[in-house]
Amino acid sequence: MEIRFYPYELRLKDEFTLSISSRRTTPVVMVEVEYEGLVGYGEASLPPYLIENQSSVIDFLTRVDLNSFNDPLNIDSILDYVDNLAERNYAAKASIDIALHDLLGKVSGKPLNKYLGITIRDDIYTSYTIGISNLTELNQKIKDASEYKYLKVKLGSENDREIIFTIRELTEKPIFVDVNQGWSDKYFAIDMISWLAEQNVILIEQPLPKDRIEDAIWLKEKSPLPIIADEAVQTSKDLVQIEEAYFGVNIKLMKTGGIREAYKMILKARELNLKILIGCMTETSCAITAAAHLSPLADWVDLDGAELISNDLFSGMKIVDGTVKIPIEPGTGVKKLT
Ligand code: MG
């Protein structure tokens, strides 16, 4: 088996602002693993708040030698080898994991969900993400979101209430709120959450800084809405320590190191009675489609990352009337656009 990779820069359709940063592009590294003429595609997405970047991913991938592996069906031993090359490097590992799962499906002739034993449904809705916006921009973004059933609204700015007031003048759609650790005070947080609960908000992601576990436990006891851990959690190993402090967890392939660990994390979260949100970074349809194969296992889905970019390299998962449509093809089902 042979691995190839190249850096690429995603252009975002609109400037994307979070409580921590603002950007117009997202660097990624694209990966291809080839075996007997079949190619599996993978991707590492590297928003600026991650520790990893394009050069760390390329350094990691340069060390990966798949020449001694000659059966993609042996995916566990290949992924164990990749895992043992270095600690962390989750996005780099995810790029190989996704490519290998795509390849494995192509070799065995099965769509990834089938290989994983997951049944696709046609009622899986994804949210549409609205970054922190001024009040005029919000009007346009609500129009852009017309086919979506749920909005995901980024808060953690000076005008959180005005943002929600403005959206509520335009639409009654249910909202996922993502604060990206943007509220520093637990009393402020509980006031906001109690108010948001009356605004048809259905969950709150990462309201407080990730290391404030005691405050998160306090908040969970008082919160009328489910609070979901995102930045506070990386892999399945972290779930036990946040179980008491959150109602659920946002699982992303770039955090877990790929599909194998994400699937394990879903099973572990269920065991612990944690709710599951499947999320993403801004990514091409390559990584988004891979994550979509896990979406039937989630309580909520936020997989609009490829909709926010203007230079996708792949076709794959489609969003139709706000629902996730997974391609029924061997592997992840993505096709490289030429
Ligand atoms: Mg988040």
Side-chain angles (χ1 to χ4, degrees), residues 49 152 154 178-180 205-206 229-231 250 252 255 277 280 302:
Y49 50 83
K152 176 165 178 173
K154 298 285 190 179
D178 188 357
V179 189
N180 290 108
E205 223 179 288
Q206 203 65 57
D230 183 2
E231 287 86 341
N250 185 341
K252 300 175 181 171
K255 293 199 300 186
L277 170 65
C280 61
D302 174 35

Side-chain angles (χ1 to χ4, degrees), residues 239-280:
L239 290 178
V240 169
Q241 72 195 41
I242 60 104
E243 183 194 358
E244 223 189 325
Y246 294 88
F247 288 84
V249 58
N250 185 341
I251 297 176
K252 300 175 181 171
L253 299 185
M254 296 303 140
K255 293 199 300 186
T256 61
I259 290 160
R260 180 170 76 157
E261 174 61 20
Y263 191 45
K264 195 169 145 194
M265 196 165 173
I266 288 168
L267 300 179
K268 181 78 181 168
R270 287 282 175 234
E271 240 178 75
L272 297 172
N273 263 326
L274 289 164
K275 295 277 189 192
I276 294 160
L277 170 65
I278 298 266
C280 61

Side-chain angles (χ1 to χ4, degrees), residues 106-123:
K106 284 171 172 158
V107 168
S108 60
K110 284 184 189 163
L112 179 56
N113 67 288
K114 273 233 163 103
Y115 170 80
L116 297 170
I118 298 169
T119 307
I120 289 178
R121 305 192 315 267
D122 57 10
D123 62 344

